[in-house]
Amino acid sequence: MMARRGILGRVARLFGRRGAASIPSTAVHAPSGAELGRTGATVTAAVAPPARDDLQISYAPHPDGDPDAGEIVWTWVPYAENDGRGKDRPVLVIGRQSADRVYAVRLTSRSHDGDRDFFALGSGPWDAQGRPSWVDIEQVYSVHVDGMRREASALDLERFVRVADALHRRYGWAVGN
């Protein structure tokens, strides 16, 4: 990774120089099932963005079957109407909420160029078709570790730092491990 100066360089140094190894897309955390992340205690839920001091954005991907900060994982995500509908989709884990929950932001392959609520991420191994992705920085989700359907990949540090910077500027959340 190139050395960076300014705020992005400082943020990258806070996370260290760890690489982001790809996680096999077949890695499964729990038995697959239609209800994982969809109902009950393991539901993935849209939540109000945490207060400035209630979330620390971190980068700690580890291919261990658990959703870790810096990883893109798949879970059931409710539609904005919150009417019980939703779909299985990738989310980027940005930090820990509790012992059994993480905070995440969703990814979409629908183009959002020029939309201030979306951050262009580019393509990666989380999308089997190689489509570019955008991160929705407007909506935060609470994902239960048992609601995760599978790990897709770890986002490389450089792109994670750019997402973390956008979230820090928007919400004031601390950045670093």
Side-chain angles (χ1 to χ4, degrees), residues 82-95:
N82 205 19
D83 59 4
R85 295 179 303 143
K87 73 179 195 177
D88 198 39
R89 71 175 328 125
V91 297
L92 172 63
V93 178
I94 58 172

Side-chain angles (χ1 to χ4, degrees), residues 87-165:
K87 73 179 195 177
D88 198 39
R89 71 175 328 125
V91 297
L92 172 63
V93 178
I94 58 172
R96 179 128 321 261
Q97 181 180 6
S98 67
D100 57 356
R101 287 195 165 272
V102 295
Y103 286 117
V105 289
R106 75 180 178 99
L107 274 62
T108 182
S109 59
R110 192 171 131 228
S111 178
H112 286 276
D113 283 338
D115 187 333
R116 76 173 204 92
D117 294 332
F118 289 81
F119 180 84
L121 194 59
S123 61
W126 56 87
D127 185 287
Q129 297 174 14
R131 298 172 294 187
S133 295
W134 284 259
V135 176
D136 178 356
I137 63 172
E138 175 68 14
Q139 182 59 65
V140 178
Y141 295 89
S142 173
V143 179
H144 192 281
V145 296
D146 292 331
M148 181 187 85
R149 295 179 189 242
R150 68 180 170 92
E151 291 178 294
S153 67
L155 189 61
D156 60 272
L157 180 59
E158 186 173 333
R159 285 193 281 188
F160 187 83
V161 165
R162 292 188 351 242
V163 172
D165 181 57

Side-chain angles (χ1 to χ4, degrees), residues 23-40:
I23 298 168
S25 62
T26 57
V28 176
H29 174 70
S32 63
E35 299 305 309
L36 287 177
R38 189 172 186 165
T39 62

